[in-house]
Structures are given as C-alpha cells and as structure tokens.
Amino acid sequence: MYEQITAELKQKNVCLVAVSKTKPPEDIRAMYQKGQRDFGENKVQELTEKAELLPKDIRWHFIGHLQRNKVKYIAPFIHLIHSVDSFRLLREINKQARKQDRVIDVLLQFHIARESSKYGLSKEEAVDMLQHPDFATMDHIRIIGVMGMATFTDDLEQVRGEFASLHAIFSQLKEDFFEDAPHFREISMGMSGDYHTAIEQGSTMVRIGTLLFGARDYA
Ligand SMILES: *Cc1c(COP(=O)(O)O)cnc(C)c1O
C-alpha cells in the first residue's frame, strides 16, 4: 500500500504525512526504512516519546489540538504544526520558538466540517489574527498555509464542497495577506477515506493513517 500511495502522490506533487498516532515506534521505523520521512502525531507526550527513540531526520508534524502549555515540549524539534486555531496559541508558539532560536512553520486550521465537534477558525477569525498589530512582530513563526478536516461522511459531494471551501479560503488569504510570500503554499487536507477528493480540490499535503498502518486500536 505504501508504494502505491507514494507513487500516486509523487506524480501529483502532493506531500504524504504518514499519521502514526497510536502506532508503535517499530511501525514508524519500518516505514522510515522504505524512505518515508514525514510523520504526523496528535498527542504531545506520545510525539516526544517517539521522537526521542527514532531517527533525528524524521520531520514530525503535529496534527492534533494543541494546548498552549504543551507547546514548549515540541518547540525544539517540530517540523510543522498543522493545527493553529487561536491567536493565543500562535503567540505561544512564537514565544517558544524564540527561546529555541528557531522559526516554526505553522498552518491555520479552519473549521470546514458540518460537525461542531471539530476545531478550527472561521475565515473572519483568521483575518482578525492576520490584521492584529502584534502579528507583524512575530518573527519566530511562519504561516505556510491552511489545514482542514471534512465531515466524516460517505457523501463525497459534501466532502468535495468542504474541501473547495478550504481552497477558497486559502486563495483569498493568499491574495489579501501573502501575495509576496511564496512560502504560503500549503493546503493540508485529505485522510484515508477522502484523499482522492482532497487532491482533486487542490490539496498539497495529505494526512494518511489507517490506509498505511491499518486500523487504530484505542482500547
Ligand atoms: C487521525 C488523523 C488523520 C488520519 O486519519 P486516517 O483516517 O487514519 O487516515 C488525519 N488528520 C488528523 C487531524 C487526524 O487526527
């Protein structure tokens, strides 16, 4: 499955984030040996424990809801935080990145699904953040794009519409705030069940777990 998916994504120039949450380090190492370097986790403690054990050239992506008081644990090494959903979180990432003397790349997470349980900003909230006077002083974060999760449903038309709405938000932010910023170019959308639809709607980064590692056991 790994070879098949990577061949398909390579052809379309889409980055694969292998979502390894709940899976043991051996599973990650096996995929690393096939050449995979980008892995996604959604729990800070699980991520830091795995990062400690595994090769240092892995690019770790944080894809879950991130609490401000935990940013400090991942700030030294995180490659990309997909889930910035508040200005206070952005501020904290900037602060911790400054302490580490690095710039941390982030995505703004948008709420595009029908389910109210999912996290994420509205377009208006994002515009407020980007217009905030303090934003211009945050030298230790770089916003490189957007992320979103579609509704969990078999209705692909629904999912297609939600991905299209994320792409539209991306395009508008690009035009209004990042016109001269070539690094603002990522649209992180698509999981095991909907990544084909996501790519059709312009995804540049898919986050795939189940298809690569098998079903997760939360017991
Ligand atoms: C778990 C998770 C994924 C991967 O989901 P699969 O359906 O297993 O591919 C992608 N994105 C986020 C934010 C996740 O939490």
Side-chain angles (χ1 to χ4, degrees), residues 57-161:
D57 62 340
I58 287 182
R59 295 184 288 265
W60 292 104
H61 296 243
F62 194 81
I63 62 171
H65 184 61
L66 181 55
Q67 289 172 284
R68 274 177 289 131
N69 62 356
K70 294 190 175 163
V71 173
K72 56 178 176 284
Y73 301 115
I74 61 171
F77 66 90
I78 198 73
H79 174 67
L80 176 61
I81 297 173
H82 290 233
S83 45
V84 170
D85 58 1
S86 76
F87 196 64
R88 294 168 79 197
L89 177 58
L90 194 63
R91 222 192 258 287
E92 180 63 18
I93 296 169
N94 185 64
K95 180 179 158 189
Q96 296 301 334
R98 188 194 307 116
K99 282 192 190 169
Q100 299 294 330
D101 196 22
R102 60 184 297 236
V103 174
I104 296 180
D105 283 347
V106 305
L107 305 176
L108 298 181
Q109 180 173 358
F110 287 90
H111 186 268
I112 55 171
R114 218 179 249 166
E115 296 119 310
S116 56
S117 56
K118 298 219 161 100
Y119 290 101
L121 301 159
S122 66
K123 191 168 78 186
E124 292 68 32
E125 287 170 323
V127 167
D128 285 348
M129 279 171 59
L130 297 169
Q131 287 177 335
H132 194 291
D134 291 355
F135 175 64
T137 69
M138 294 184 180
D139 296 334
H140 292 269
I141 49 105
R142 191 169 72 148
I143 299 178
I144 67 166
V146 302
M147 181 271 221
M149 288 170 88
T151 303
F152 187 69
T153 172
D154 291 335
D155 181 353
L156 277 188
E157 277 315 306
Q158 170 78 21
V159 169
R160 183 171 287 123

Side-chain angles (χ1 to χ4, degrees), residues 19 21 42 63 147 149 191-193 207-210 216:
V19 176
K21 62 188 186 193
N42 70 343
I63 62 171
M147 181 271 221
M149 288 170 88
M191 314 184 359
S192 291
R207 311 175 308 270
I208 299 181
T210 309
R216 284 179 293 275

Side-chain angles (χ1 to χ4, degrees), residues 18-21 23-24 27-28 31 39 208-215:
V19 176
S20 48
K21 62 188 186 193
K23 298 294 173 183
D27 289 18
I28 300 174
M31 203 164 288
F39 290 91
I208 299 181
T210 309
L211 263 188
L212 292 171
F213 292 104

